[in-house]
Amino acid sequence: MRQGPFEASRAAAWADYRRLLTALEGRGRDPSPALPLARFPALYRRLCADYALARARRYAPGLIAELHDLVRRGYPHLYRRRNAWWALALGFMAAGFPRTLRRQARVCALAAALFFLPLLVMGLACGQDGELIYSLMDSAQVAELESLYDPDSGRPGRGPERQADTDFMMFGFYVMNNIGIGFRTFGAGLLLGLGSVLILISNGLMIGATAGHLTRLGFGPVFWPFVSGHGPFELTAIAICGAAGLLLGRALIAPGRLTRLAALRANARDAAVLVGGAALMLLLAAVVEAFWSASGAAAGVKYAVGVLGWVAVMAYFALAGRVDGGAGPVRGGPGDDHGP
């Protein structure tokens, strides 16, 4: 084949390749849906074959040089190294997780209500009735709870047997405990969602009873500064894990036009994103609880950090992953695909 017919037969493919390459290099607009980036590897391989053929047939040096330049520019985009795990995690938390949470706002609001309303009601009730906590805990559990936040204890949140434990040891304990609660809340959603509902309500009742009982005893000046720092991250993460469980339950109870298995697979994507983000929030909560909550900082400082934590969490949920104040989403984060 002469050079003229060769170039004419390849012109359309080369033009598509150039448009995708320009988009990847950030020097042009993103390609249209009719020309997705997924076509780039096939076009690159075809261009390499054309380049080798042009050299073998000794076509004009200008054409060979042009094809060589296109191959060279496309290589790093096809064979670039994968991002480090920490970069992927940051991208996930910056865009994929908050966007998925907003997309599933109704389910998250339901989970938050199931968790925080029992917490508030039981907290107020136990603050008035000293016997009510025994409807949830036995006397040994209540005594252990009181020992954790006794004003005479060396470090709040640690029983007498754990006073000598280092912050790193407590960090490991908090990680296992917090993430264990989160994953149980999520996994129980497979029981038609009822498992997640029961765990959310029971955890809310237990936490509320603890807060109300300790406040009534006069242990509030120890308890509230301790929980104020990590509470914003831990409590919201538990509610989000419950929302992920409710997504699974919704797929089983109301699959719509899909089969239950297909609906479960569809909802599992957003559920996994929510659980992944909540797990990282629980990890952050464990860091704060181990290295800050039990520290000797003044109560006023701890309260201020707690307020800033709630403000940061709410602002993150509302604004993260947006562009131009919410005009549109950030491209490329995990969890971007819309679920059912």
Side-chain angles (χ1 to χ4, degrees):
M1 181 183 296
R2 294 183 179 274
Q3 180 174 326
F6 174 79
E7 290 187 70
S9 66
R10 294 340 193 244
W14 293 352
D16 288 345
Y17 176 85
R18 287 190 182 92
R19 285 197 292 271
L20 292 178
L21 181 60
T22 300
L24 288 170
E25 292 175 337
R27 297 187 294 109
R29 296 181 178 180
D30 290 343
S32 65
L35 183 61
L37 287 173
R39 286 194 57 195
F40 184 78
L43 290 171
Y44 179 81
R45 288 192 296 270
R46 182 171 180 179
L47 181 73
C48 289
D50 291 342
Y51 171 57
L53 192 58
R55 291 187 60 184
R57 293 178 177 176
R58 300 182 181 275
Y59 287 151
L63 175 62
I64 294 175
E66 181 183 3
L67 294 176
H68 173 78
D69 181 65
L70 290 174
V71 170
R72 178 188 58 79
R73 287 164 54 195
Y75 182 87
H77 296 288
L78 191 62
Y79 296 102
R80 60 187 174 188
R81 295 177 60 185
R82 294 181 180 272
N83 292 330
W85 65 268
W86 54 267
L88 294 174
L90 287 176
F92 169 75
M93 293 302 290
F97 173 51
R99 289 176 60 190
T100 301
L101 190 145
R102 287 192 295 271
R103 186 165 61 248
Q104 300 294 347
R106 292 183 180 179
V107 177
C108 291
L110 175 60
L114 291 170
F115 179 62
F116 286 105
L117 287 179
L119 187 156
L120 292 174
V121 171
M122 182 58 75
L124 292 173
C126 286
Q128 300 297 320
D129 184 353
E131 299 299 318
L132 186 57
I133 192 172
Y134 293 100
S135 64
L136 298 175
M137 307 180 191
D138 58 35
S139 57
Q141 291 173 314
V142 174
E144 181 181 1
L145 176 65
E146 293 173 357
S147 70
L148 291 175
Y149 300 99
D150 190 324
D152 296 328
S153 65
R155 306 191 75 179
R158 303 184 186 184
E161 73 284 357
R162 304 196 72 100
Q163 289 292 317
D165 286 353
T166 66
D167 291 342
F168 283 101
M169 292 178 65
M170 293 306 299
F171 168 68
F173 170 78
Y174 293 140
V175 168
M176 295 298 295
N177 181 69
N178 294 352
I179 294 182
I181 292 173
F183 276 92
R184 285 195 297 273
T185 307
F186 162 61
L190 290 173
L191 300 175
L192 301 179
L194 295 177
S196 294
V197 170
L198 292 176
I199 292 178
L200 284 170
I201 293 174
S202 63
N203 273 288
L205 292 173
M206 292 291 288
I207 295 172
T210 297
H213 180 73
L214 293 175
T215 301
R216 191 190 64 81
L217 290 180
F219 291 0
V222 177
F223 172 76
W224 290 109
F226 177 80
V227 301
S228 61
H230 62 270
F233 312 106
E234 182 175 332
L235 297 181
T236 52
I238 292 174
I240 291 170
C241 286
L246 293 179
L247 278 178
L248 300 183
R250 185 176 71 181
L252 296 174
I253 295 175
R257 297 180 180 180
L258 301 175
T259 65
R260 283 183 169 78
L261 181 58
L264 187 62
R265 289 174 177 171
N267 280 11
R269 178 178 177 83
D270 277 3
V273 172
L274 292 179
V275 169
L280 292 177
M281 291 183 67
L282 290 170
L283 181 63
L284 175 59
V287 172
V288 176
E289 189 171 2
F291 299 101
W292 168 255
S293 295
S295 70
V301 176
K302 289 187 174 182
Y303 286 138
V305 170
V307 171
L308 289 176
W310 281 110
V311 172
V313 167
M314 294 300 105
Y316 168 72
F317 289 159
L319 302 176
R322 298 183 186 271
V323 175
D324 297 331
V330 170
R331 290 176 55 83
D336 288 350
D337 293 340
H338 290 271

